[in-house]
Every structure is written in structure tokens, then in C-alpha cells.
Amino acid sequence: MPLYINDDQAMLRDTARDFMAGEGNIASQLRKYRDMNCKDGFGHALWRQFGEIGFTGILVDEADGGMGLGHVEAGIVLEEIGRNLTPSPFLITAVAAVEALKGTAQRERWLPGILAGETVAALAIDEGAKHRPEAVAMRAERSGNGFRLSGAKQFVVQGASAHFFVVAAQAEEGLSLFVVEKDVAGLSVEGVRLADASIGARLGFEDVEVDADAVLGELGEGGTVLSRVLAAARAGTASELVGVASGAMAMTVDYLKQRKQFGRLIGEFQSLQHRAAHLYSELEIARAATLKAQQLLDEGSEEAEAMVSVAKAKAGQVSALAVQEGVQMHGGIGMTDEYDIGLYMKRDRVLAELFGDVNYHADKLARLKGY
């Protein structure tokens, strides 16, 4: 499959680009909700607009009221989200959670709210300082006709705003996934503001009771479902990182064309031109790797998992390069809050850790390839 988008996907890109630049821009969303110390970190009105446009239904099957599109289309929207630093639940709710709900009875309960932009979901997977889904220790013990969950989770993005959580826990039969509603007894939620002003959460589960219907997929086979969910989330995060890098680069190149030093535009200095050209080429490689990963996911290819790790690692490297070059080329003002370039660096730092950093995916890829 060629590494470019088709005409329909280009139309979606144009729609998403105009919408994010107009309704989801930094001044009207990120700065607004950061400065008002919003407990959610995003605007619910904008999330409802996502639903009205149809973005929330990109990965939802047509039979369930969605658009029945794929990961390539979700990535197109996420790149524009990253470009404008638009705070929204799209990645976790409309990509990861929707993927988790597919083929389960729980989709009837939650998909209508997601499609309308009314419901927010969260993934409660990690328990340590780093992303390590293979190290889940939380317990799920049988209790009556259901289960009792005990343990703790952290770095739960949008956890303080979520209506439900997809929770990974170890049952007697093996790793399993459960849907847990926000108001269940025994669940504690502590909202934590992250570096980019988004809100994560620490969750405590003290004998939280759920019934048997809360299990996503088959009991003890949560690893299979979780792998599919994390592949979707990682590919989506790679797209958002590409968007962050694109936005940071565009801002930096624009500054190079305006800022004068020693009587000349600094964009005329050959050393800065070389650095900008290098960043552009690296960005195109990251975009191509991410698109390939999403195409393979949509095809159901066995090679998708490896390519997703390539995309997440490469997008993480390029985004870091873009924001570092951006701050440096802006000079001292790049460190001030007045200029938006620093906000791109903060978002990059959070996305770099989300669902595994560069080192995690380099190691994962080496293991998949038997090195």
C-alpha cells in the first residue's frame, strides 16, 4: 500500500485541520483551561463538537452508529490535535477505549455516549513509574457472581474525568480486562496535573466489586485484547507526536523568517537552514512510519505490532528533536510562557512516556525480531 493518503482521507485531514486550528487552537483551549486551573484539563463543549462532526465515531462500526473507518483516519485527526495542542479525550476514549469495547456487550452501554461526545473513558493499566503492561500486579478475585478488584494504578490519563475505566488485573485464570464505572464503591481517584497541563490520575481499588459482565473479552485472555488496545493507542500517540513535531517546526520556521540578528533574518544563516532541513527530513520519516503502522493495523497484518513500535519510537525521537530545536532557535524567549513553543516541549514530554518511551519500544522491537 502506498505511503500517502487517498482523496477521502485528504478531505478528512482538511476538515480536521480547519476545525482544530479554529475551535481547538492553543489560545481558546489549552491556555484557557490551564489558566483557569480546570479540573478536567479540556473543554467538554469541544468534546461534544467532536461528536457532532463525527470524529468520535471514526473507529466505531457502522452497525453501532459510527463511521466504520480505520486507524489511518484516526491518525489523521490525531496529527491535527497534536499540531494545535488541542486538549481532548479523543486518543484515550475514541481510539483506545473504543478498540477495547469492540465485539463486547459493553459497547451497547458506552458507545452512544462516546459517539455523542458526552462520555469520557480512561485506561487503568500502569502501576509503576514507567509503562510496563507486562508487569500488572493488581488482583481480581472471585466474589459471588463477579469479582473483587484490589490494587492501585497511576498515570491514568483523563482518569479524573472518566465515566468508566478499562482496568487490567490478574485473575486466577490470568490477565483480564474489566470495565469499572466511576462511582463504584471502594474506588478512589486523585487527579494529578501533568507537565503539559493535562490531568492524569492515581486510582486506588479497595475491594471494588464488579459483576461478571464487566469482563471485556474472555476471562484470562485479557492479554490479547490489551495488545490490540495498546497497538491502537501507541499508533495514535505516534500520530499526535508527529503533529506536535509539525506544529513546533512550523512555528520555528515562521520565526526564522521574521527574527533579525546583525541586520539579517536569522533564516538566512546556512547553519540554521541545515538544521531545519534535517528536521524536515526526519519528520517525513516519522510520518511515513506512523502511516505504515496504521495501514498494517487496518489490514490486520501480523507485522503491525512491530511497525507500531517503530512508529512510536521514531515519532518520539523526532518530536523531541523538533521541540528542542524550536526552543533553541527561538533563543531566550523560547523559555518564556509568552511564546507557545515551550508548550510543545511540555506536550512532547508527556506523549513520549505515554504507552512506552523510545527505549521501551526499541527493546520491544528487538525482542519481537529475536535479537
Side-chain angles (χ1 to χ4, degrees):
M1 184 174 289
L3 289 176
Y4 56 82
I5 60 177
N6 61 35
D7 290 343
D8 289 339
Q9 291 163 345
M11 289 177 62
L12 173 63
R13 179 200 60 199
D14 294 343
T15 299
R17 183 165 296 177
D18 290 344
F19 176 76
M20 299 305 167
E23 301 296 326
N25 62 72
I26 293 174
S28 65
Q29 295 296 324
L30 175 58
R31 285 189 179 275
K32 173 184 176 180
Y33 290 104
R34 183 201 66 174
D35 293 348
M36 66 187 292
N37 199 30
C38 174
K39 68 178 182 62
D40 295 318
F42 66 90
H44 288 273
L46 185 70
W47 183 228
R48 286 190 291 272
Q49 286 182 272
F50 271 59
E52 293 168 3
I53 293 174
F55 290 159
T56 54
I58 283 178
L59 287 180
V60 177
D61 293 336
E62 290 184 87
D64 292 320
M67 299 177 69
L69 300 177
H71 296 283
V72 172
E73 287 80 8
I76 287 169
V77 174
L78 279 161
E79 182 170 339
E80 299 310 317
I81 287 173
R83 190 189 308 275
N84 294 279
L85 303 183
T86 308
S88 83
F90 183 84
L91 173 62
I92 306 299
T93 301
V95 176
V98 164
E99 194 66 35
L101 293 171
K102 282 185 176 179
T104 72
Q106 289 283 348
R107 75 185 194 284
E108 299 176 5
R109 167 74 173 85
W110 299 109
L111 285 183
I114 292 174
L115 288 169
E118 298 286 350
T119 296
V120 175
L123 296 185
I125 309 297
D126 291 319
E127 300 172 6
K130 303 288 283 186
H131 177 66
R132 295 294 182 270
E134 62 277 6
V136 171
M138 184 172 170
R139 303 301 304 174
E141 300 176 344
R142 288 194 177 274
S143 176
N145 69 341
F147 298 87
R148 180 184 298 114
L149 306 180
S150 300
K153 301 288 184 180
Q154 62 177 337
F155 199 27
V156 181
V157 177
Q158 271 112 40
S161 314
H163 297 89
F164 73 95
F165 303 89
V166 175
V167 181
Q170 296 288 353
E172 183 179 349
E173 293 81 357
L175 184 67
S176 302
L177 296 183
F178 301 85
V179 170
V180 179
E181 298 194 34
K182 66 173 183 177
D183 294 325
V184 66
L187 174 63
S188 62
V189 180
E190 177 192 0
V192 179
R193 190 169 297 278
L194 304 178
D196 62 345
S198 64
I199 308 296
R202 298 188 181 98
L203 308 184
F205 294 79
E206 186 174 348
D207 296 332
V208 172
E209 299 277 355
V210 296
D211 59 31
D213 293 338
V215 179
L216 285 178
E218 297 295 327
L219 191 65
E221 297 182 6
T224 301
V225 180
L226 184 58
S227 292
R228 190 181 75 238
V229 171
L230 289 178
R234 288 162 177 164
T237 307
S239 280
E240 190 168 346
L241 281 164
V242 169
V244 169
S246 298
M249 179 178 175
M251 185 173 294
T252 302
V253 170
D254 185 61
Y255 185 74
L256 295 179
K257 293 176 179 179
Q258 297 180 36
R259 171 67 171 159
K260 286 188 176 181
Q261 194 172 37
F262 307 117
R264 297 175 59 190
L265 293 171
I266 61 175
E268 295 178 2
F269 295 120
Q270 193 173 58
S271 62
L272 297 187
Q273 292 176 355
H274 287 173
R275 286 163 63 181
H278 173 244
L279 175 57
Y280 174 80
S281 63
E282 289 292 297
L283 177 56
E284 288 304 302
I285 294 171
R287 180 177 284 116
T290 301
L291 177 57
K292 185 63 176 178
Q294 290 159 344
Q295 289 174 343
L296 291 174
L297 283 175
D298 288 335
E299 294 171 5
S301 171
E302 294 180 357
E303 294 297 317
E305 184 178 7
M307 197 64 208
V308 165
S309 283
V310 171
K312 180 62 166 69
K314 185 61 180 178
Q317 289 176 328
V318 173
S319 181
L321 175 65
V323 298
Q324 288 166 7
E325 290 282 60
V327 169
Q328 188 174 54
M329 290 188 198
H330 273 76
I333 62 169
M335 300 298 294
T336 67
D337 188 64
E338 180 182 355
Y339 279 74
D340 290 341
I341 189 65
L343 301 177
Y344 282 89
M345 176 170 279
K346 293 175 182 179
R347 183 58 177 160
D348 164 73
R349 287 298 79 216
V350 172
L351 289 174
E353 293 295 327
L354 188 61
F355 304 122
D357 60 13
V358 172
N359 292 332
Y360 175 88
H361 285 287
D363 179 73
K364 181 178 176 63
L365 183 62
R367 292 176 185 274
L368 285 171
K369 295 301 182 180
Y371 297 138

CSV table of all heavy atoms in Angstrom, one decimal, residues 40 47 49 52 73 75-76 94 97 123 154 170 181 187 206-208 212 263 307-308 348 350 357 362:
chain,number,residue,atom,x,y,z
A,40,ASP,N,-10.5,19.2,34.7
A,40,ASP,CA,-10.5,18.2,33.6
A,40,ASP,C,-9.4,18.4,32.7
A,40,ASP,O,-8.9,17.5,32.0
A,40,ASP,CB,-11.8,18.2,32.9
A,40,ASP,CG,-13.0,17.8,33.7
A,40,ASP,OD1,-12.9,16.8,34.5
A,40,ASP,OD2,-14.1,18.4,33.6
A,47,TRP,N,-15.5,18.7,23.1
A,47,TRP,CA,-15.7,17.2,23.0
A,47,TRP,C,-17.0,16.9,22.4
A,47,TRP,O,-17.1,16.0,21.5
A,47,TRP,CB,-15.5,16.6,24.4
A,47,TRP,CG,-15.6,15.1,24.4
A,47,TRP,CD1,-16.3,14.3,25.3
A,47,TRP,CD2,-14.8,14.1,23.6
A,47,TRP,NE1,-16.1,13.0,25.1
A,47,TRP,CE2,-15.2,12.8,24.0
A,47,TRP,CE3,-14.0,14.3,22.5
A,47,TRP,CZ2,-14.7,11.7,23.4
A,47,TRP,CZ3,-13.4,13.1,22.0
A,47,TRP,CH2,-13.8,11.9,22.4
A,49,GLN,N,-18.5,18.8,20.3
A,49,GLN,CA,-18.3,19.2,18.9
A,49,GLN,C,-17.7,18.1,18.1
A,49,GLN,O,-18.0,17.8,16.9
A,49,GLN,CB,-17.6,20.5,18.7
A,49,GLN,CG,-18.3,21.7,19.1
A,49,GLN,CD,-17.5,23.0,18.9
A,49,GLN,OE1,-16.8,23.4,19.8
A,49,GLN,NE2,-17.6,23.6,17.7
A,52,GLU,N,-20.4,15.9,17.2
A,52,GLU,CA,-21.3,16.4,16.2
A,52,GLU,C,-20.7,16.3,14.8
A,52,GLU,O,-21.4,16.0,13.8
A,52,GLU,CB,-21.6,17.9,16.5
A,52,GLU,CG,-22.4,18.1,17.7
A,52,GLU,CD,-22.5,19.5,18.2
A,52,GLU,OE1,-21.8,20.4,17.5
A,52,GLU,OE2,-23.1,19.8,19.2
A,73,GLU,N,-7.4,6.9,9.5
A,73,GLU,CA,-8.3,8.1,9.7
A,73,GLU,C,-8.2,8.7,11.1
A,73,GLU,O,-8.1,9.9,11.3
A,73,GLU,CB,-9.7,7.7,9.3
A,73,GLU,CG,-10.0,7.5,7.8
A,73,GLU,CD,-9.6,6.2,7.3
A,73,GLU,OE1,-9.2,5.3,8.1
A,73,GLU,OE2,-9.6,5.9,6.1
A,75,GLY,N,-5.6,8.5,12.9
A,75,GLY,CA,-4.3,9.1,13.0
A,75,GLY,C,-4.3,10.5,12.3
A,75,GLY,O,-3.6,11.4,12.8
A,76,ILE,N,-5.1,10.7,11.3
A,76,ILE,CA,-5.2,12.0,10.6
A,76,ILE,C,-5.7,13.0,11.6
A,76,ILE,O,-5.2,14.1,11.7
A,76,ILE,CB,-6.1,11.8,9.4
A,76,ILE,CG1,-5.3,11.1,8.3
A,76,ILE,CG2,-6.5,13.2,8.9
A,76,ILE,CD1,-6.2,10.7,7.1
A,94,ALA,N,-11.9,7.7,22.1
A,94,ALA,CA,-12.4,7.4,20.8
A,94,ALA,C,-11.5,6.4,20.1
A,94,ALA,O,-11.9,5.9,19.0
A,94,ALA,CB,-12.6,8.6,20.0
A,97,ALA,N,-10.3,3.2,24.1
A,97,ALA,CA,-11.5,2.6,24.7
A,97,ALA,C,-12.4,2.0,23.7
A,97,ALA,O,-13.0,0.9,23.9
A,97,ALA,CB,-12.2,3.6,25.5
A,123,LEU,N,-7.9,4.5,30.5
A,123,LEU,CA,-7.2,3.2,30.6
A,123,LEU,C,-6.4,3.1,31.9
A,123,LEU,O,-5.6,4.0,32.2
A,123,LEU,CB,-6.3,3.0,29.5
A,123,LEU,CG,-6.8,2.9,28.1
A,123,LEU,CD1,-5.7,2.5,27.1
A,123,LEU,CD2,-7.9,1.8,28.0
A,154,GLN,N,-1.7,4.2,38.2
A,154,GLN,CA,-1.3,5.6,38.1
A,154,GLN,C,-1.0,5.9,36.7
A,154,GLN,O,-1.1,5.1,35.8
A,154,GLN,CB,0.0,5.9,39.0
A,154,GLN,CG,1.2,5.1,38.6
A,154,GLN,CD,2.4,5.6,39.4
A,154,GLN,OE1,2.4,6.7,40.0
A,154,GLN,NE2,3.4,4.7,39.6
A,170,GLN,N,-5.0,-9.2,37.4
A,170,GLN,CA,-4.7,-10.6,37.3
A,170,GLN,C,-5.7,-11.4,38.0
A,170,GLN,O,-5.9,-11.3,39.2
A,170,GLN,CB,-3.3,-10.8,38.0
A,170,GLN,CG,-2.1,-10.2,37.3
A,170,GLN,CD,-1.7,-10.9,36.0
A,170,GLN,OE1,-2.3,-11.9,35.6
A,170,GLN,NE2,-0.8,-10.3,35.3
A,181,GLU,N,-17.1,1.4,36.5
A,181,GLU,CA,-17.7,2.7,36.5
A,181,GLU,C,-17.1,3.6,37.5
A,181,GLU,O,-16.7,3.1,38.6
A,181,GLU,CB,-19.2,2.5,36.6
A,181,GLU,CG,-19.9,1.7,35.5
A,181,GLU,CD,-21.4,1.9,35.5
A,181,GLU,OE1,-21.9,2.9,35.8
A,181,GLU,OE2,-22.0,0.9,35.1
A,187,LEU,N,-13.6,2.7,45.1
A,187,LEU,CA,-12.7,3.3,44.1
A,187,LEU,C,-12.3,4.8,44.5
A,187,LEU,O,-13.2,5.6,44.7
A,187,LEU,CB,-13.3,3.3,42.7
A,187,LEU,CG,-12.5,4.1,41.6
A,187,LEU,CD1,-11.2,3.4,41.3
A,187,LEU,CD2,-13.3,4.1,40.3
A,206,GLU,N,-10.0,-0.6,46.5
A,206,GLU,CA,-10.1,-1.2,47.8
A,206,GLU,C,-11.4,-2.1,47.8
A,206,GLU,O,-12.4,-1.7,48.1
A,206,GLU,CB,-10.1,-0.2,48.9
A,206,GLU,CG,-10.1,-0.9,50.3
A,206,GLU,CD,-10.0,0.1,51.4
A,206,GLU,OE1,-9.7,1.3,51.1
A,206,GLU,OE2,-10.1,-0.3,52.6
A,207,ASP,N,-11.2,-3.4,47.4
A,207,ASP,CA,-12.3,-4.4,47.3
A,207,ASP,C,-13.4,-3.8,46.5
A,207,ASP,O,-14.6,-3.8,46.9
A,207,ASP,CB,-12.8,-4.7,48.7
A,207,ASP,CG,-11.7,-5.4,49.6
A,207,ASP,OD1,-10.8,-6.1,48.9
A,207,ASP,OD2,-11.7,-5.3,50.8
A,208,VAL,N,-13.1,-3.4,45.3
A,208,VAL,CA,-14.1,-2.9,44.3
A,208,VAL,C,-14.8,-4.1,43.7
A,208,VAL,O,-14.2,-4.9,43.1
A,208,VAL,CB,-13.4,-2.0,43.2
A,208,VAL,CG1,-14.5,-1.7,42.2
A,208,VAL,CG2,-12.8,-0.7,43.9
A,212,ALA,N,-19.9,-10.2,36.7
A,212,ALA,CA,-19.2,-10.9,35.6
A,212,ALA,C,-19.3,-10.3,34.3
A,212,ALA,O,-18.4,-10.5,33.4
A,212,ALA,CB,-19.8,-12.4,35.6
A,263,GLY,N,21.3,42.5,11.5
A,263,GLY,CA,20.8,43.2,10.3
A,263,GLY,C,20.3,42.2,9.3
A,263,GLY,O,19.9,42.6,8.2
A,307,MET,N,5.7,-2.8,13.6
A,307,MET,CA,5.7,-1.5,13.0
A,307,MET,C,5.2,-0.4,13.9
A,307,MET,O,5.6,0.8,13.8
A,307,MET,CB,4.9,-1.5,11.7
A,307,MET,CG,5.2,-0.4,10.7
A,307,MET,SD,7.0,-0.4,10.2
A,307,MET,CE,7.3,1.3,9.9
A,308,VAL,N,4.3,-0.7,14.7
A,308,VAL,CA,3.8,0.2,15.7
A,308,VAL,C,4.9,0.7,16.6
A,308,VAL,O,5.0,1.9,17.0
A,308,VAL,CB,2.6,-0.3,16.5
A,308,VAL,CG1,2.3,0.5,17.7
A,308,VAL,CG2,1.3,-0.4,15.6
A,348,ASP,N,5.2,17.2,24.3
A,348,ASP,CA,6.1,16.1,23.9
A,348,ASP,C,6.6,15.2,25.0
A,348,ASP,O,6.6,14.0,24.9
A,348,ASP,CB,7.3,16.7,23.2
A,348,ASP,CG,8.5,15.7,23.0
A,348,ASP,OD1,8.3,14.8,22.1
A,348,ASP,OD2,9.5,15.8,23.7
A,350,VAL,N,5.1,14.5,27.8
A,350,VAL,CA,4.0,13.6,28.3
A,350,VAL,C,3.8,12.5,27.3
A,350,VAL,O,3.7,11.3,27.6
A,350,VAL,CB,2.8,14.4,28.6
A,350,VAL,CG1,1.6,13.5,28.9
A,350,VAL,CG2,3.0,15.4,29.8
A,357,ASP,N,8.1,4.7,26.1
A,357,ASP,CA,9.0,5.6,25.5
A,357,ASP,C,9.9,5.0,24.5
A,357,ASP,O,9.7,3.8,24.1
A,357,ASP,CB,9.9,6.3,26.6
A,357,ASP,CG,10.8,5.3,27.4
A,357,ASP,OD1,10.9,4.1,27.0
A,357,ASP,OD2,11.3,5.7,28.4
A,362,ALA,N,12.2,0.3,21.5
A,362,ALA,CA,13.4,-0.2,20.9
A,362,ALA,C,13.6,-1.7,21.4
A,362,ALA,O,13.9,-2.6,20.7
A,362,ALA,CB,14.6,0.6,21.2
